[in-house]
Amino acid sequence: KNVEQLQAGMTRQQVFSLLGSPSVADPFHQNRWDYVATERRRRGDTEIKNLTLGVEGDALARWAGESFPEADQ
């Protein structure tokens, strides 16, 4: 649900308030935030989804990847 609220131009603080801190902190790419989510399925399989955000200056510029929107239902 929170991923659907992302909008270009949001500040870093607004994104942090929605999604929390990134799963992966890369000191060489501070303008890239990576979020990794896992979900265990009934058969014991684990599904992994990655969401990558790009920040320019203090504003969210782009995002790509997947989340688990069905988990909000």
Side-chain angles (χ1 to χ4, degrees), residues 33-49:
W33 291 8
D34 292 293
Y35 293 86
V36 180
T38 61
E39 185 173 282
R40 178 163 281 180
R41 300 295 182 179
R42 291 183 189 186
R43 292 175 281 150
D45 298 337
T46 301
E47 187 174 357
I48 301 170
K49 295 198 179 183

Side-chain angles (χ1 to χ4, degrees), residues 6 11 17 24-25 32 50 57:
L6 291 175
T11 66
S17 294
V24 179
R32 176 181 165 156
N50 297 299

Side-chain angles (χ1 to χ4, degrees), residues 5-71:
Q5 296 179 43
L6 291 175
Q7 297 178 18
M10 294 178 96
T11 66
R12 290 176 186 253
Q13 184 58 43
Q14 289 172 317
V15 173
F16 185 82
S17 294
L18 273 178
L19 302 180
S21 60
S23 304
V24 179
D26 184 346
F28 299 105
H29 300 99
Q30 294 178 1
N31 291 331
R32 176 181 165 156
W33 291 8
D34 292 293
Y35 293 86
V36 180
T38 61
E39 185 173 282
R40 178 163 281 180
R41 300 295 182 179
R42 291 183 189 186
R43 292 175 281 150
D45 298 337
T46 301
E47 187 174 357
I48 301 170
K49 295 198 179 183
N50 297 299
L51 178 67
T52 301
L53 280 58
V55 181
E56 293 179 6
D58 188 43
L60 178 63
R62 63 196 159 283
W63 59 95
E66 302 175 296
S67 61
F68 289 102
E70 65 276 7

